[in-house]
Amino acid sequence: GTTGGGVGVEEAVATSFVALLLAAAFSGFVTSFLVAPVERVKVMMQAQQNSLYANELECIQAVLETEGFSGLFSRGLGPTLAREIPSYAIYFVVYGVLMQTSQAQNLGTVAPLVCGAISGCACWVPVYPIDVVKTLVQNTEGGAEASSIEVARQLYEDEGIGAFYNGLTPKMLRASVNHAVTFYVYALMMDALV
């Protein structure tokens, strides 16, 4: 409630939460357009057989010649958006909420490490199946692009539900280290600069 005509604590917290959620989700939206073409090339380079491409520029050239700009910039964009938007929202909200807990206060200077690791893992678990589908969509060359739904259905029919979680353990290990360090360095820099 409010007192004296001002905004109450609950409303301020709710507004702050919504602002954080929207800012994080929008960051994921914008990032998707930058990440999709880079990940398309990365996936194709990693999955190539017989050294089809000598380097990343050759891979880009091949995609542009066979599929045009849409092949580079939009193949896999749908699942990238479906992954990045909720992932960023989860990532920043979980970190923000965790850092406000008494447990984080008790951890002191290591709180960003712990909360960063948790938020990094938390953002990947729900979107990992989308990432698997995105990778399969992006790992095709030329021709008509299969829809993400078609790819997911085929993966499920061929390999079952477990296929959507292949590689999750190394992703969690990487996410925990990466995001722990990210928020720890961020906190150090903020303390030094402010």
Side-chain angles (χ1 to χ4, degrees):
T2 60
T3 57
V7 176
V9 173
E10 294 87 11
E11 289 87 358
V13 168
T15 301
S16 177
F17 176 80
V18 170
L20 175 60
L21 183 66
L22 290 174
F26 189 69
S27 295
F29 173 79
V30 171
T31 301
S32 296
F33 293 93
L34 303 171
V35 168
V38 172
E39 287 196 353
R40 173 81 199 278
V41 172
K42 178 192 84 166
V43 165
M44 291 179 69
M45 291 294 294
Q46 288 175 336
Q48 72 177 328
Q49 307 240 339
N50 302 324
S51 299
L52 188 58
Y53 314 110
N55 56 48
E56 290 79 1
L57 291 177
E58 198 174 287
C59 180
I60 291 169
Q61 182 179 7
V63 171
L64 291 174
E65 287 174 2
T66 59
E67 302 171 43
F69 281 101
S70 66
L72 183 62
F73 290 97
S74 66
R75 186 169 293 215
L77 181 60
T80 301
L81 286 161
R83 178 193 70 188
E84 296 293 290
I85 293 170
S87 179
Y88 274 60
I90 293 164
Y91 181 56
F92 286 107
V93 168
V94 167
Y95 182 78
V97 168
L98 288 175
M99 287 299 289
Q100 299 303 314
T101 65
S102 60
Q103 291 86 351
Q105 303 311 311
N106 293 338
L107 289 172
T109 58
V110 298
L113 281 170
V114 174
C115 297
I118 293 169
S119 65
C121 291
C123 77
W124 270 107
V125 171
V127 301
Y128 194 74
I130 298 168
D131 187 61
V132 169
V133 171
K134 176 207 67 72
T135 300
L136 293 171
V137 167
Q138 289 183 319
N139 190 27
T140 56
E141 191 176 345
E145 175 183 349
S147 77
S148 298
I149 299 297
E150 291 168 358
V151 169
R153 184 179 302 123
Q154 190 64 52
L155 181 62
Y156 178 75
E157 288 175 7
D158 292 348
E159 300 180 43
I161 195 75
F164 293 95
Y165 295 94
N166 285 341
L168 182 61
T169 300
K171 179 65 82 176
M172 292 297 97
L173 293 171
R174 179 190 176 279
S176 62
V177 171
N178 178 40
H179 300 294
V181 171
T182 296
F183 278 114
Y184 185 71
V185 172
Y186 169 81
L188 286 175
M189 292 304 298
M190 288 301 290
D191 287 345
L193 297 172
V194 177

PDB file of all heavy atoms in Angstrom, residues 44-45 47-56 58-59 62-63 139 141:
ATOM      1  N   MET A  44      28.158 -24.301 -38.360  1.00  0.00           N
ATOM      2  CA  MET A  44      28.579 -24.913 -39.619  1.00  0.00           C
ATOM      3  C   MET A  44      30.060 -25.277 -39.604  1.00  0.00           C
ATOM      4  O   MET A  44      30.451 -26.327 -40.118  1.00  0.00           O
ATOM      5  CB  MET A  44      28.251 -23.991 -40.786  1.00  0.00           C
ATOM      6  CG  MET A  44      26.747 -23.870 -41.026  1.00  0.00           C
ATOM      7  SD  MET A  44      26.346 -22.772 -42.387  1.00  0.00           S
ATOM      8  CE  MET A  44      26.950 -23.731 -43.776  1.00  0.00           C
ATOM      9  N   MET A  45      30.885 -24.428 -39.005  1.00  0.00           N
ATOM     10  CA  MET A  45      32.320 -24.720 -38.919  1.00  0.00           C
ATOM     11  C   MET A  45      32.578 -25.940 -38.025  1.00  0.00           C
ATOM     12  O   MET A  45      33.407 -26.786 -38.347  1.00  0.00           O
ATOM     13  CB  MET A  45      33.090 -23.507 -38.389  1.00  0.00           C
ATOM     14  CG  MET A  45      33.147 -22.322 -39.327  1.00  0.00           C
ATOM     15  SD  MET A  45      34.070 -22.612 -40.849  1.00  0.00           S
ATOM     16  CE  MET A  45      35.732 -22.840 -40.223  1.00  0.00           C
ATOM     17  N   ALA A  47      30.536 -28.424 -37.381  1.00  0.00           N
ATOM     18  CA  ALA A  47      29.938 -29.658 -37.880  1.00  0.00           C
ATOM     19  C   ALA A  47      30.450 -30.073 -39.259  1.00  0.00           C
ATOM     20  O   ALA A  47      30.060 -31.123 -39.758  1.00  0.00           O
ATOM     21  CB  ALA A  47      28.421 -29.501 -37.934  1.00  0.00           C
ATOM     22  N   GLN A  48      31.308 -29.268 -39.846  1.00  0.00           N
ATOM     23  CA  GLN A  48      31.753 -29.567 -41.215  1.00  0.00           C
ATOM     24  C   GLN A  48      32.521 -30.880 -41.277  1.00  0.00           C
ATOM     25  O   GLN A  48      33.204 -31.270 -40.341  1.00  0.00           O
ATOM     26  CB  GLN A  48      32.575 -28.414 -41.780  1.00  0.00           C
ATOM     27  CG  GLN A  48      33.956 -28.256 -41.171  1.00  0.00           C
ATOM     28  CD  GLN A  48      34.735 -27.150 -41.828  1.00  0.00           C
ATOM     29  OE1 GLN A  48      34.576 -26.889 -43.001  1.00  0.00           O
ATOM     30  NE2 GLN A  48      35.580 -26.492 -41.058  1.00  0.00           N
ATOM     31  N   GLN A  49      32.389 -31.538 -42.409  1.00  0.00           N
ATOM     32  CA  GLN A  49      33.097 -32.785 -42.663  1.00  0.00           C
ATOM     33  C   GLN A  49      34.100 -32.527 -43.784  1.00  0.00           C
ATOM     34  O   GLN A  49      33.838 -31.748 -44.685  1.00  0.00           O
ATOM     35  CB  GLN A  49      32.108 -33.852 -43.082  1.00  0.00           C
ATOM     36  CG  GLN A  49      30.964 -33.994 -42.104  1.00  0.00           C
ATOM     37  CD  GLN A  49      30.879 -35.375 -41.515  1.00  0.00           C
ATOM     38  OE1 GLN A  49      31.398 -36.313 -42.072  1.00  0.00           O
ATOM     39  NE2 GLN A  49      30.236 -35.487 -40.376  1.00  0.00           N
ATOM     40  N   ASN A  50      35.205 -33.165 -43.730  1.00  0.00           N
ATOM     41  CA  ASN A  50      36.223 -33.072 -44.788  1.00  0.00           C
ATOM     42  C   ASN A  50      36.710 -31.640 -45.009  1.00  0.00           C
ATOM     43  O   ASN A  50      36.996 -31.250 -46.141  1.00  0.00           O
ATOM     44  CB  ASN A  50      35.690 -33.647 -46.104  1.00  0.00           C
ATOM     45  CG  ASN A  50      35.262 -35.090 -45.950  1.00  0.00           C
ATOM     46  OD1 ASN A  50      35.872 -35.851 -45.216  1.00  0.00           O
ATOM     47  ND2 ASN A  50      34.195 -35.451 -46.630  1.00  0.00           N
ATOM     48  N   SER A  51      36.778 -30.847 -43.955  1.00  0.00           N
ATOM     49  CA  SER A  51      37.276 -29.470 -44.039  1.00  0.00           C
ATOM     50  C   SER A  51      36.664 -28.722 -45.226  1.00  0.00           C
ATOM     51  O   SER A  51      37.355 -28.187 -46.086  1.00  0.00           O
ATOM     52  CB  SER A  51      38.806 -29.448 -44.121  1.00  0.00           C
ATOM     53  OG  SER A  51      39.344 -30.036 -42.964  1.00  0.00           O
ATOM     54  N   LEU A  52      35.365 -28.697 -45.267  1.00  0.00           N
ATOM     55  CA  LEU A  52      34.619 -28.049 -46.344  1.00  0.00           C
ATOM     56  C   LEU A  52      34.979 -26.571 -46.472  1.00  0.00           C
ATOM     57  O   LEU A  52      35.107 -26.048 -47.571  1.00  0.00           O
ATOM     58  CB  LEU A  52      33.118 -28.213 -46.082  1.00  0.00           C
ATOM     59  CG  LEU A  52      32.158 -27.765 -47.169  1.00  0.00           C
ATOM     60  CD1 LEU A  52      32.426 -28.502 -48.478  1.00  0.00           C
ATOM     61  CD2 LEU A  52      30.728 -28.004 -46.715  1.00  0.00           C
ATOM     62  N   TYR A  53      35.165 -25.910 -45.324  1.00  0.00           N
ATOM     63  CA  TYR A  53      35.518 -24.487 -45.322  1.00  0.00           C
ATOM     64  C   TYR A  53      36.893 -24.325 -44.685  1.00  0.00           C
ATOM     65  O   TYR A  53      37.147 -24.859 -43.621  1.00  0.00           O
ATOM     66  CB  TYR A  53      34.501 -23.673 -44.516  1.00  0.00           C
ATOM     67  CG  TYR A  53      33.074 -24.017 -44.843  1.00  0.00           C
ATOM     68  CD1 TYR A  53      32.278 -24.687 -43.926  1.00  0.00           C
ATOM     69  CD2 TYR A  53      32.522 -23.677 -46.074  1.00  0.00           C
ATOM     70  CE1 TYR A  53      30.974 -25.012 -44.227  1.00  0.00           C
ATOM     71  CE2 TYR A  53      31.214 -24.001 -46.386  1.00  0.00           C
ATOM     72  CZ  TYR A  53      30.443 -24.682 -45.456  1.00  0.00           C
ATOM     73  OH  TYR A  53      29.156 -24.997 -45.767  1.00  0.00           O
ATOM     74  N   ALA A  54      37.754 -23.561 -45.333  1.00  0.00           N
ATOM     75  CA  ALA A  54      39.102 -23.334 -44.796  1.00  0.00           C
ATOM     76  C   ALA A  54      39.061 -22.419 -43.588  1.00  0.00           C
ATOM     77  O   ALA A  54      39.884 -22.528 -42.679  1.00  0.00           O
ATOM     78  CB  ALA A  54      40.001 -22.733 -45.875  1.00  0.00           C
ATOM     79  N   ASN A  55      38.093 -21.508 -43.547  1.00  0.00           N
ATOM     80  CA  ASN A  55      37.973 -20.568 -42.438  1.00  0.00           C
ATOM     81  C   ASN A  55      36.552 -19.999 -42.399  1.00  0.00           C
ATOM     82  O   ASN A  55      35.722 -20.322 -43.256  1.00  0.00           O
ATOM     83  CB  ASN A  55      39.019 -19.444 -42.572  1.00  0.00           C
ATOM     84  CG  ASN A  55      38.911 -18.722 -43.903  1.00  0.00           C
ATOM     85  OD1 ASN A  55      37.838 -18.328 -44.335  1.00  0.00           O
ATOM     86  ND2 ASN A  55      40.045 -18.554 -44.574  1.00  0.00           N
ATOM     87  N   GLU A  56      36.305 -19.151 -41.428  1.00  0.00           N
ATOM     88  CA  GLU A  56      34.977 -18.595 -41.230  1.00  0.00           C
ATOM     89  C   GLU A  56      34.522 -17.729 -42.405  1.00  0.00           C
ATOM     90  O   GLU A  56      33.348 -17.750 -42.791  1.00  0.00           O
ATOM     91  CB  GLU A  56      34.914 -17.780 -39.926  1.00  0.00           C
ATOM     92  CG  GLU A  56      34.992 -18.622 -38.668  1.00  0.00           C
ATOM     93  CD  GLU A  56      36.409 -19.066 -38.295  1.00  0.00           C
ATOM     94  OE1 GLU A  56      37.383 -18.720 -39.007  1.00  0.00           O
ATOM     95  OE2 GLU A  56      36.547 -19.779 -37.292  1.00  0.00           O
ATOM     96  N   GLU A  58      35.295 -18.071 -45.532  1.00  0.00           N
ATOM     97  CA  GLU A  58      34.901 -18.967 -46.615  1.00  0.00           C
ATOM     98  C   GLU A  58      33.511 -19.555 -46.349  1.00  0.00           C
ATOM     99  O   GLU A  58      32.710 -19.718 -47.267  1.00  0.00           O
ATOM    100  CB  GLU A  58      35.944 -20.075 -46.767  1.00  0.00           C
ATOM    101  CG  GLU A  58      35.873 -20.792 -48.090  1.00  0.00           C
ATOM    102  CD  GLU A  58      37.026 -21.773 -48.246  1.00  0.00           C
ATOM    103  OE1 GLU A  58      38.174 -21.309 -48.450  1.00  0.00           O
ATOM    104  OE2 GLU A  58      36.773 -22.991 -48.164  1.00  0.00           O
ATOM    105  N   CYS A  59      33.229 -19.865 -45.112  1.00  0.00           N
ATOM    106  CA  CYS A  59      31.915 -20.376 -44.723  1.00  0.00           C
ATOM    107  C   CYS A  59      30.839 -19.318 -44.985  1.00  0.00           C
ATOM    108  O   CYS A  59      29.788 -19.608 -45.556  1.00  0.00           O
ATOM    109  CB  CYS A  59      31.934 -20.785 -43.252  1.00  0.00           C
ATOM    110  SG  CYS A  59      30.365 -21.436 -42.648  1.00  0.00           S
ATOM    111  N   ALA A  62      30.195 -19.020 -48.670  1.00  0.00           N
ATOM    112  CA  ALA A  62      29.406 -20.145 -49.178  1.00  0.00           C
ATOM    113  C   ALA A  62      27.927 -19.978 -48.838  1.00  0.00           C
ATOM    114  O   ALA A  62      27.056 -20.229 -49.682  1.00  0.00           O
ATOM    115  CB  ALA A  62      29.943 -21.460 -48.614  1.00  0.00           C
ATOM    116  N   VAL A  63      27.643 -19.545 -47.619  1.00  0.00           N
ATOM    117  CA  VAL A  63      26.247 -19.326 -47.225  1.00  0.00           C
ATOM    118  C   VAL A  63      25.629 -18.218 -48.064  1.00  0.00           C
ATOM    119  O   VAL A  63      24.506 -18.353 -48.568  1.00  0.00           O
ATOM    120  CB  VAL A  63      26.132 -19.004 -45.714  1.00  0.00           C
ATOM    121  CG1 VAL A  63      24.724 -18.562 -45.355  1.00  0.00           C
ATOM    122  CG2 VAL A  63      26.535 -20.206 -44.880  1.00  0.00           C
ATOM    123  N   ASN A 139      22.450 -25.907 -38.670  1.00  0.00           N
ATOM    124  CA  ASN A 139      23.449 -26.823 -39.224  1.00  0.00           C
ATOM    125  C   ASN A 139      22.950 -27.485 -40.504  1.00  0.00           C
ATOM    126  O   ASN A 139      23.175 -28.651 -40.739  1.00  0.00           O
ATOM    127  CB  ASN A 139      23.847 -27.889 -38.200  1.00  0.00           C
ATOM    128  CG  ASN A 139      25.046 -28.677 -38.665  1.00  0.00           C
ATOM    129  OD1 ASN A 139      25.859 -28.192 -39.432  1.00  0.00           O
ATOM    130  ND2 ASN A 139      25.144 -29.919 -38.222  1.00  0.00           N
ATOM    131  N   GLU A 141      22.494 -26.641 -44.830  1.00  0.00           N
ATOM    132  CA  GLU A 141      23.023 -25.736 -45.844  1.00  0.00           C
ATOM    133  C   GLU A 141      22.170 -25.836 -47.090  1.00  0.00           C
ATOM    134  O   GLU A 141      21.797 -26.919 -47.522  1.00  0.00           O
ATOM    135  CB  GLU A 141      24.468 -26.107 -46.170  1.00  0.00           C
ATOM    136  CG  GLU A 141      25.168 -25.089 -47.009  1.00  0.00           C
ATOM    137  CD  GLU A 141      26.628 -25.447 -47.225  1.00  0.00           C
ATOM    138  OE1 GLU A 141      27.141 -26.310 -46.502  1.00  0.00           O
ATOM    139  OE2 GLU A 141      27.230 -24.858 -48.117  1.00  0.00           O
TER     140      GLU A 141
END
